[in-house]
Amino acid sequence: MSLKKPSASINPFNYAAASTPGFFQGQFQSDTIVRDPLVSGFAFVKWLNVPRWITDEYKDFTAITEKNLRAFGGLNDIDMNTFAIQEGFTGSENHFAGGAQMFQGFSMTHREYSGSPIRNAYSHWVTGVRDPVTGVATYPKNYDLEYTAANHTGELLYIMTRPDADNVGNSKIIEFACLYTMVMPTRMHLSHLNFTSGTNDGAELEQQFVGVPHISPAVDELAAEQLSKLQYSFMNMGDFKHEG
């Protein structure tokens, strides 16, 4: 039996496809393959805005944090709260819709390198906003800037894609996108510098951030636009060339 491609009338991004014959009939329909499962493990971050006094001191900050992404965390389920009203002789409860609250903040894990470029850059950001000894914001005087959130927060875009991550001309490769505004790191890493005799390990730093998340079709469009600008190199086996 030869495999059949989905007909033009079957759009894998159309929820109505579930009603088409063959979507589920007690077994996986390997001849039509109406839908593909979601595959995780392909994600990128893109800084849209970073305080100038960070990139002035650490010119490779955006590149080393974007391309050195080991893990991204902080996306949580959004639950709608309800409130109950008791009625009747038995006091039976009836639930009504209350509020729904978005998750806040996120984390990025990076591999640290000799010379501590990750620790130094994030520590410079944190201490510039609040010096841990005096509690004073030091960046306004040091860089001749006004003290305002606009001058010490950034914007970060998180993008999860399908496995064809290099197919940037196709906006459908984006599985999920979230834009974080008013982003600030909240941790200065030092604990990885402790010493234990006989232990020689590499170090990964989980950097904590505050930020306001935004999820919408407009963010998806922004992600499609920015994805084409990410400077990653995706090579096939035959593309390798030895230089030297």
Side-chain angles (χ1 to χ4, degrees), residues 4 37 113 141 186:
K4 300 177 182 177
Y113 295 97
K141 178 181 177 181
T186 59

Side-chain angles (χ1 to χ4, degrees), residues 168-224:
V168 295
N170 186 346
S171 62
K172 293 180 180 179
I173 71 169
I174 296 176
E175 297 282 11
F176 174 78
C178 183
L179 173 64
Y180 290 89
T181 55
M182 292 189 66
V183 173
M184 282 190 305
T186 59
R187 176 177 295 172
M188 292 179 287
H189 286 275
L190 291 173
S191 60
H192 67 290
L193 300 174
N194 289 317
F195 168 73
T196 301
S197 178
T199 300
N200 306 106
D201 294 324
E204 290 189 351
L205 306 184
E206 183 182 2
Q207 184 63 50
Q208 303 294 329
F209 297 85
V210 292
V212 181
H214 306 272
I215 304 171
S216 71
V219 173
D220 293 341
E221 293 179 5
L222 176 63

